[in-house]
Amino acid sequence: MSPSTSIPFSHSSYILIPGTKMDALAQMHFTTIDYVIFALLLASSMGIGLYYALSGGRQRTTQEFLLADRSMSCLPVSLSLIATFQSAVAIVGIPAEIYTHGTQYWFIGCAYILGLFIPAHVFIPVFYRLHLTSAYQYLELRFSKPVRICGTVTFIFQTVIYMAVCMYTPALALNAVTGFNLWGAVLATGLVCTLYTTLGGLKAVIWTDVFQTIVMFAGQLAVIVVGVQQTGGVAEVWRKVSEGNLISGIDLNPDPTVEYTFWTLGVGGVFLMLSLYGVNQAQVQRYLSAKTERDAVMSCYMVFPSLQLALALSCVMGLVMFARYCGEDHFHSLGVISKNEMVLYFVMDMLQGLPGLSGLFISCLFSAALSTISSAFNSLATVTMEDLIKPHCPSMTEARATLLSKGLACSYGLLCLAMAYLTHLMSDSVLQAAFKIFGMVGGPLLGIFSLGLFFPWANSTGALVGLGSGLAMAFWVGIGSIVTSTSGGLAAVSQFNCTAVQLSGNVTTAVGTALISTAMPTATPTRPMGLQRFYSLSFMWYSALNSLTVVITGLGVSFLTGPMKAEEVTPGTLYPLLGNMLFFVPDKLKQKLCCVTPLGHGPTIQECPPAQHERNGQAVYTEGSVEEEERQSFLLTSHTPVVERETAL
Ligand SMILES: CC(C)(CO)[C@@H](O)C(=O)NCCC(=O)O
Ligand code: NA
């Protein structure tokens, strides 16, 4: 059956019954212990920031502030990698998605396999060996300066709007649970995060991520354990969710407008993962901060189990929520609550009379949010410094550059605060909003990097026109879908055995009925036609559609304007994908087709001795030093043969 999301249904149809028990319950149960736990989270994060401000190199160089001295080992890097895109949005969004659409969403876990394997073996080796600081340096090495600047600006745009969503979501939660002023909470998160990011640099960002990831898992686990207990045990939860038909098998429906099918999640999801874990500056910066290439690759592998755990916790929370509210007794019915708020009402209802647990859950939400926001601030400071400022001020002193980077981290913090206000105006599910941002802006960025890495013929003009058309496609479909609101997901009513909103006498005492609908959905979902159908494309396909648009347009324009010859391409910026894929084609034919020959043994995991001093992102070596000799011999053995083979064509 088709999901209930195409039913026109707007937020204006919710009414808040004044003086329900909801507010009273909520405020009553956020006790002193809860406040203490929450304060501890903020204080520890600040403490870690202060520690890294005062220890080590005391954040006096951009190498330390932006790249943690390239000294990190794989464990903290991997925990930090998962923290970056696991925000409060996922914690409140995924359970609501499971509650309304069933467990189909869980199949996104399949996309994690290729979505992490490809970054580990394609993107990391290329970026790490080029010894970059910003991922966009790659675009200049491969194409030209204008391409780099367009890439940087696109990334800044993506990150600032994503940040706004991330800041708003936990503040909304705190407001619902404690009545704490919404904008006060946004301001507090923004300021705490800006402060520790500015003080402690990437080291503080990574180590707070480690701590915050643990708090995040603990909070989710606590809610699940209490929830299962209160619903009557694991067997009872299982009985209710299976009777409610919540457990979905693989849905192989090829219709691209269905939000969640195996294809949208398992295939579309791979493109989403690649745009996040392959080319997003926040992640690339972490790979580059690893002390060796092997550590970077390992950390990417280690993301897999933690990400599966995070997904499982969120999905199970959705199941428990369903078992509690959608059993045969609709006593606790959630009614029609906005998707963004469901989890909070559930948690509030669940944790009554258990002091400390509400505090732990709110800390869990804020941990998730802070770890995402801090990564974003640091990566925004990095790209602005490396891509937009340094190239114009080559003579800037290190001290000045570091001070400026800190100023940048701080001002982006304030900008995102202002942007959070815009999220306030958005009524969509925050999870879908985040996925749309990733797909609409991250998709074209994945496209431009893929164009450069895999296609030696692509030239700078092709890259620019490609990026432009990818973004145009993204906004055409994205805005089209908002205007025709076909994939809105506004009605939070579960499609499973739970659509009735109970309004009988005793139910008004139940927590869930604080928000009830004044209008029941009336229209039956119709199959969209023509352009409407195009606009109703599942947002899970956005990354794939937009990145492929960039690659196809980019290649077309490159061939029209004079394709690049392999020998003109900067060594080390190509990945011989076509050569590897056409392994069965005889070498002679491949030469005719002008594609790079396979490496034979593939890119080796081998370390290039790091540069000793750096300026403007370019390694500066002391002539004749041991390090320089080592590095030269590395470059000779691992890069040059590839290049020679390419140029021999
Ligand atoms: C992005 C994935 C799929 C993987 O990291 C997941 O963490 C997620 O669903 N994130 C939602 C966006 C957010 O939490 O901000
Ligand atoms: Na996070």
Side-chain angles (χ1 to χ4, degrees), residues 59 69 166 204 261-262 315 343 420 423 427 463 513 536 576 592 595 602 614 626:
Q59 309 297 332
D69 288 329
C166 288
T261 63
F262 175 74
C315 291
V343 168
T423 315
S427 61
T513 48
S536 57
K592 279 228 176 77
C595 57
E614 293 226 336
V626 183

Side-chain angles (χ1 to χ4, degrees), residues 320-342:
V320 177
M321 194 156 85
F322 183 88
R324 186 164 172 90
Y325 298 116
C326 289
E328 63 282 5
D329 56 331
H330 291 246
F331 183 76
H332 293 291
S333 178
L334 271 181
V336 186
I337 290 179
S338 117
K339 275 187 174 176
N340 305 334
E341 288 164 20
M342 280 182 148

Side-chain angles (χ1 to χ4, degrees), residues 85-87 89-90 94 105 108 112 162 166 272-273 276-277 307 431 434-435 438:
F85 292 113
Q86 195 72 21
S87 76
V89 170
I94 296 173
Y105 180 82
I108 199 173
Y112 294 174
Y162 172 51
C166 288
L272 174 81
M273 289 292 289
L276 297 177
Y277 287 82
L307 213 50
L431 184 69
F435 279 165
F438 292 158

